[in-house]
Amino acid sequence: MSLDLKALVRTIPDYPHKGILFRDITTLIEHPEGFKESIERIASQYRGKGFTHVAGIEARGFIFGAGVAIALGVGFIPVRKKGKLPGETIGQNYALEYGVDTIEIHAGVLDSDDKVLLVDDLIATGGTAIAAVGLLRRTGATVDDAAFVIDLPDLGGASKLKAENVAVTALIAFEGH
Ligand code: AMP
């Protein structure tokens, strides 16, 4: 477990908008040891702590979240964009830079006996993760932990999550935006 995971993340300037440095994890997951080690490093922090589920945020959170769920031996819950889940859902709106989006989970998938680890590829402003924590907590489940591959600390999302009593871990941090 000594790979330089940060070196496996590709940075693409001006995508999807001018001024954004897009941290592209496709190069990390395309690397067989890089992908495996990312999953194992996340999972090792949460083993034996009583988690019943991993929840991953669409879409890149599914890639890492599914792997972490398998590594921990627990079920996986997809937190999906509006209108994608076939059963009865509960949803949460959150603000985007321009406009509003909605995430959903299936109603009845969690209850107050459950303890959930939230997983996504990257935390920037934290808007998406805070909405996901709020949505998952509405089921009565305990959601006090969130794990990311990448943190952009200058954007303040991890601090905002901590203020919501969520303990945050990230494998890699990049300065700036
Ligand atoms: P936020 O809600 O601002 O924390 O944004 C988090 C989501 O947007 C994550 O699911 C990321 O996949 C994506 N994202 C935001 N900023 C970047 C970036 N600089 N590079 C890659 N993905 C990003």
Side-chain angles (χ1 to χ4, degrees):
M1 301 257 282
S2 56
L3 266 182
D4 183 357
L5 298 180
K6 192 169 178 176
L8 294 175
V9 175
R10 178 168 65 164
T11 297
I12 301 188
D14 298 326
Y15 181 89
H17 304 292
K18 196 156 180 57
I20 303 282
L21 289 174
F22 192 86
R23 307 301 181 176
D24 176 23
I25 54 83
T26 66
T27 44
L28 172 66
I29 61 175
E30 191 268 334
H31 188 285
E33 288 86 30
F35 189 22
K36 186 175 178 186
E37 192 163 319
S38 309
I39 299 291
E40 190 43 47
R41 279 200 213 170
I42 296 172
S44 65
Q45 302 172 92
Y46 299 100
R47 271 204 187 89
K49 298 202 168 153
F51 288 93
T52 60
H53 297 78
V54 170
I57 303 175
E58 184 170 353
R60 278 164 278 156
F62 292 176
I63 298 168
F64 294 101
V68 172
I70 292 169
L72 293 179
V74 303
F76 178 76
I77 296 174
V79 178
R80 297 219 61 179
K81 301 279 163 62
K82 189 179 175 64
K84 302 284 187 185
L85 289 169
E88 188 190 334
T89 57
I90 57 171
Q92 179 88 32
N93 294 332
Y94 63 102
L96 298 173
E97 196 176 350
Y98 305 104
V100 175
D101 213 343
T102 306
I103 49 173
E104 295 180 332
I105 57 172
H106 271 139
V109 71
L110 291 168
D111 63 33
S112 56
D113 293 331
D114 291 316
K115 178 171 165 165
V116 181
L117 171 65
L118 181 69
V119 173
D120 203 358
D121 68 322
L122 181 146
I123 182 156
T125 66
T128 318
I130 285 171
V133 167
L135 175 59
L136 293 161
R137 280 179 170 167
R138 274 168 47 203
T139 67
T142 300
V143 190
D144 292 343
D145 296 273
F148 303 88
V149 180
I150 300 167
D151 182 19
L152 306 183
D154 296 344
L155 292 179
S159 304
K160 278 194 222 148
L161 263 185
K162 285 171 199 159
E164 302 284 333
N165 296 314
V166 179
V168 176
T169 64
L171 302 181
I172 301 167
F174 285 100
E175 312 252 297
H177 292 207

